[in-house]
Amino acid sequence: MSTVTVSAGARLHVGFQNLSLARQRLYGGVGVGLAEPRVTVVGEPAETVDCDDSLGQKYATRACDILEVPGVSLTIEERLPRHVGLGSGTQLALSVFAATAAAYDLEIDVREHAPAMGRGGRSGIGLATFEDGGFVVDAGHPTARFTTRPPAEGDWTVPPVVARHDLPDDWRFLVVVPDVAPGRSGESEDESMRAVVERADPAVADELAGVVTRKLLPAAAAGRLEAFGEAIAEIGRKNGAWYADAQGGVFRPPAGELVEALEDCPVLSGIGQSSWGPVVYGVTDREHGDEALGAAEDALTERGLEGEVFLSQAATSGATIRAEDA
């Protein structure tokens, strides 16, 4: 039995490849694991479940039930902001599960157990970046199994990864986190997704297939920043067309204003909204990072918004697990 530290980076969710029930596979996420910011969980065996975070307590209780261990004592040393588009729920759930298992020296397959932890029901990006980092495209789910509602909780498998690439070391992702109401999650997100899926235009999925195969994947494989940025921006806007009624526009307010402002910055490309927002992102290189940060700070100030702005490399590996014998 050990004291364990698990640390996992955030992720950006660019969008889905298909939301139409008229196509054979539904969802199919596209996203990028980030080196920063991170969630860090420290755990050790215990007779009961104890965590200094209410959501962490919930996940720890579930993890102990799945692993059939008596309990775990957890401390969340670093947190991701919740429901802003950085994948906080998945990274916390998987970090808690991995820490609980490692505290008891149990070898586990996080992908296999993610559905029981309530993760991977739509997108597999968060799980894939927890495993290996990088730029990831997943295969989505068979449409016949999902219809307009997902299966019962836990009754699914996480979408397989169909493409993964490390991105160049000198690329930097600009991340803007405006201090506004969080994005959708839980039942609200499920209801919104059902409404979108029920009326999604299949022609958009057909257009996205071309963008992914002919633009995005070649650009990621070759490390061509401008082409990569153009492709993820196009994917984000086409996804926004699906979500426009649900979120009040191609991008939710005020993300749309920030996207518009950052599109005028010559050192940035690939401007978009992560998941339901409000996080807005773009891609630049190390040389132009300061200029990109300045443009984002100006965009917030000019719109009377507060928030956080930072740069991150793409993660080149998954979560780290470090154990010390008790």
Side-chain angles (χ1 to χ4, degrees):
M1 296 185 183
S2 306
T3 298
V4 178
T5 301
V6 177
S7 183
R11 66 95 178 101
L12 297 174
H13 200 278
V14 173
F16 289 113
Q17 298 171 72
N18 174 48
L19 294 180
S20 170
L21 297 171
R23 297 296 177 260
Q24 290 182 327
R25 296 193 75 87
L26 196 62
Y27 305 123
V30 177
V32 179
L34 297 179
E36 300 288 343
R38 305 185 70 81
V39 58
T40 301
V41 176
V42 178
E44 59 184 13
E47 292 302 314
T48 59
V49 177
D50 179 57
C51 182
D52 61 348
D53 177 277
S54 59
L55 186 58
Q57 177 85 12
K58 171 187 169 183
Y59 287 139
T61 300
R62 186 175 296 190
C64 288
D65 289 343
I66 294 167
L67 296 168
E68 299 181 341
V69 297
V72 66
S73 177
L74 296 173
T75 301
I76 314 299
E77 292 197 340
E78 291 183 281
R79 290 172 169 81
L80 296 175
R82 289 181 180 168
H83 310 315
V84 299
L86 293 175
S88 62
T90 294
Q91 301 312 311
L92 179 61
L94 299 181
S95 295
V96 165
F97 183 78
T100 303
Y104 285 91
D105 297 328
L106 298 175
E107 293 188 9
I108 47 91
D109 183 339
V110 174
R111 176 171 289 269
E112 176 186 348
H113 292 287
M117 291 294 291
R119 315 314 298 182
R122 270 189 291 270
S123 172
I125 298 301
L127 187 282
T129 59
F130 183 90
E131 291 177 313
D132 294 311
F135 157 74
V136 179
V137 178
D138 77 54
H141 299 272
T143 303
R145 288 207 64 215
F146 271 66
T147 64
T148 57
R149 290 178 179 269
E153 185 167 308
D155 186 22
W156 61 75
T157 56
V158 178
V161 173
V162 294
R164 183 203 171 277
H165 293 282
D166 284 328
L167 299 177
D169 290 343
D170 68 337
W171 286 19
R172 295 292 183 272
F173 285 87
L174 173 75
V175 180
V176 185
V177 190
D179 188 10
V180 297
R184 302 183 190 209
S185 61
E187 291 184 8
S188 172
E189 181 181 14
D190 289 341
E191 291 172 4
S192 295
M193 286 301 299
R194 282 196 293 272
V196 170
V197 167
E198 286 170 353
R199 58 176 179 264
D201 181 357
V204 176
D206 298 337
E207 294 169 2
L208 282 165
V211 176
V212 171
T213 58
R214 294 193 294 271
K215 295 183 179 181
L216 180 63
L217 292 178
R224 293 185 292 120
L225 189 151
E226 288 295 329
F228 181 87
E230 289 174 6
I232 62 173
E234 190 170 355
I235 291 168
R237 286 196 170 276
K238 289 185 185 300
N239 269 256
W242 275 325
Y243 296 126
D245 290 342
Q247 66 179 5
V250 172
F251 303 107
R252 62 158 282 190
E257 295 179 48
L258 295 173
V259 169
E260 184 178 357
L262 293 176
E263 285 176 336
D264 291 333
C265 178
V267 302
L268 278 168
S269 63
I271 315 301
Q273 170 184 303
S274 183
S275 189
W276 291 101
V279 158
V280 169
Y281 60 80
V283 61
T284 187
D285 58 23
R286 180 169 42 209
E287 180 182 356
H288 297 98
D290 287 344
E291 187 176 346
L293 285 171
E297 290 165 353
D298 288 346
L300 286 172
T301 300
E302 289 166 5
R303 283 150 188 82
L305 296 171
E306 305 235 341
E308 183 181 4
V309 176
F310 59 88
L311 294 171
S312 177
Q313 290 179 268
T316 56
S317 60
T320 60
I321 303 175
R322 187 178 75 252
E324 299 177 5
D325 292 336

